[in-house]
Amino acid sequence: MAARSSATAALLRCLALACLLQACLGNTHMRLPGHDPEGYVFSSYSLNQPYDESMHIGHWMFVGDTVAGPEQVRLTPDRQSRKGGLWNAAPFNPPSDDKYPPWEVIVEFHVHGQGTKLFGDGFAFWYTKTHAEIGPVFGSVDKFTGLGIFFDTYSNVQQARGQYVSAVIGDGKISYDHNKDGGDIKLAGCHSKFRGLDHYGYARFVYEDRMLRVYLDTNGQGWEECFVIRRVYLPRGNYFGFTAATGDLADNHDIISVRVAEPAPMDEVEKRLLEKRIKADVESGVEKEPHHDPQYEDEHEEEHSPWRTVAVIVLLLGAAGGIYYVTSLQQRRAATHFT
């Protein structure tokens, strides 16, 4: 009898294990480990499942066509002409005196839908002066002030699918040109196949020491650098948010979780790679290229301005002296010729 009970118990365990394995293999929304922030997490600016489907989530606001499910916040459904957003209700003001406080945001997302060849339009991460407004730029307003990072799934320039991540820092005046996929106002970007994954995708935005670093993990192999931008000035008091939009093409744009934290210190390998990247950018002349954002202006311009003023005065005096000398010489020659 005992032997029969043991055999039955073993069989039940095997069946349970088989069911669990089948469930895992059949799950197309798998979470990947190793994406938790290492620094202190600001809970009032973070978002974790399960969610209240009545759309009452503390510290967060829903706008447009965004709805909540038990495992995700769907910014837009896979339907045409939809816009939606998820915004933190309070501006980011951590307990520090830094005018440009550091932060790290790790977002878990899933972009998917019925389309196999064409789909769109994409979603955006925001850290901006205003919030919770519907508009034409991936569901939010144009001519924004602050940071926008865009996960674009359709290239209007090439008239084809194209998955690209880019950054724009708005001054409240520049406009995002969709027909040019942002055009010249994009400061940096990278290609990434983040749409249609059989697991969740991850993005990591790190702002520290006036530097913006963006990393992605879309294949489960760990963080890969997308781009680095130096001399970025993002003040306290802006709002974190996510928006998405569909047009003639559509997709589900889902936010699974958001963690806002203090940036973890870089290890020696990260520091060396970052120093190497900055050196390469400087040597290639990236920072001398024209940009609409004032972050690429000379930081020491005001310090040098008195010397530049003196130099201009010296040049003007020299030019005036030269003109006077030439004029006097011509007058003397004319007088000699007349006599």
Side-chain angles (χ1 to χ4, degrees):
M1 185 69 180
R4 183 178 299 177
S5 299
S6 299
T8 303
L11 179 60
L12 291 175
R13 285 195 296 269
C14 290
L15 289 174
L17 181 61
C19 291
L20 179 61
L21 181 61
Q22 177 64 29
C24 291
L25 291 175
N27 185 7
T28 59
H29 304 77
M30 292 186 294
R31 308 188 76 168
L32 302 178
H35 298 90
D36 294 325
E38 297 179 12
Y40 172 80
V41 176
F42 299 101
S43 58
S44 59
Y45 299 100
S46 299
L47 189 70
N48 287 291
Q49 54 184 204
Y51 300 115
D52 185 350
E53 296 183 60
S54 64
M55 297 177 63
H56 293 291
I57 300 178
H59 310 292
W60 290 87
M61 303 170 58
F62 294 79
V63 295
D65 297 306
T66 297
V67 296
E71 296 184 354
Q72 79 284 325
V73 175
R74 179 153 294 170
L75 300 176
T76 67
D78 189 7
R79 297 292 182 270
Q80 295 177 327
S81 303
R82 303 297 177 92
K83 296 177 181 178
L86 174 69
W87 289 89
N88 200 270
F92 183 64
N93 281 305
S96 68
D97 297 327
D98 197 339
K99 183 179 179 180
Y100 307 104
W103 45 260
E104 175 180 348
V105 177
I106 296 178
V107 57
E108 188 178 17
F109 63 89
H110 194 210
V111 181
H112 59 105
Q114 299 178 2
T116 56
K117 294 184 178 180
L118 296 177
F119 32 78
D121 287 334
F123 75 99
F125 162 74
W126 303 94
Y127 181 69
T128 52
K129 186 176 181 180
T130 59
H131 73 306
E133 298 179 88
I134 294 292
V137 183
F138 293 91
S140 190
V141 295
D142 195 8
K143 298 182 179 180
F144 56 89
T145 300
L147 170 67
I149 298 180
F150 308 120
F151 291 70
D152 198 343
T153 54
Y154 183 81
S155 173
N156 291 289
V157 173
Q158 299 177 1
Q159 291 294 300
R161 60 182 180 181
Q163 300 176 50
Y164 194 76
V165 182
S166 62
V168 170
I169 297 179
D171 59 2
K173 299 177 182 179
I174 60 175
S175 181
Y176 186 93
D177 189 345
H178 270 287
N179 292 329
K180 296 182 179 179
D181 297 326
D184 293 337
I185 68 172
K186 292 185 295 188
L187 296 179
C190 71
H191 292 278
S192 176
K193 294 183 179 180
F194 57 83
R195 190 262 181 199
L197 306 176
D198 59 0
H199 53 266
Y200 296 142
Y202 298 83
R204 179 181 175 221
F205 316 112
V206 183
Y207 177 64
E208 187 176 24
D209 296 329
R210 317 298 187 267
M211 184 184 302
L212 176 67
R213 295 178 281 135
V214 175
Y215 304 89
L216 303 172
D217 184 0
T218 58
N219 54 19
Q221 301 299 313
W223 296 117
E224 295 182 3
E225 178 191 300
C226 180
F227 56 80
V228 175
I229 309 175
R230 295 197 298 150
R231 295 202 293 275
V232 178
Y233 300 96
L234 300 175
R236 65 172 53 248
N238 283 8
Y239 293 86
F240 292 115
F242 298 88
T243 63
T246 65
D248 293 334
L249 304 175
D251 250 342
N252 297 307
H253 299 95
D254 297 342
I255 299 298
I256 311 303
S257 68
V258 179
R259 273 76 56 86
V260 179
E262 294 179 343
M266 288 188 289
D267 58 33
E268 292 302 319
V269 175
E270 288 179 309
K271 289 181 181 178
R272 287 196 297 270
L273 290 175
L274 184 59
E275 291 173 357
K276 183 178 180 181
R277 175 60 176 270
I278 293 174
K279 182 179 179 181
D281 286 347
V282 172
E283 292 177 348
S284 64
V286 169
E287 296 180 353
K288 295 181 180 179
E289 296 178 0
H291 291 279
H292 293 268
D293 194 83
Q295 66 175 317
Y296 284 92
E297 295 177 0
D298 189 353
E299 291 180 308
H300 306 291
E301 183 175 358
E302 295 182 359
E303 299 176 10
H304 298 318
S305 57
W307 293 106
R308 291 179 181 176
T309 303
V310 171
V312 170
I313 292 174
V314 170
L315 289 174
L316 289 175
L317 289 175
I323 293 172
Y324 176 77
Y325 173 77
V326 172
T327 303
S328 300
L329 182 61
Q330 289 176 344
Q331 289 176 348
R332 288 197 299 271
R333 287 178 177 177
T336 302
H337 179 72
F338 179 78
T339 58

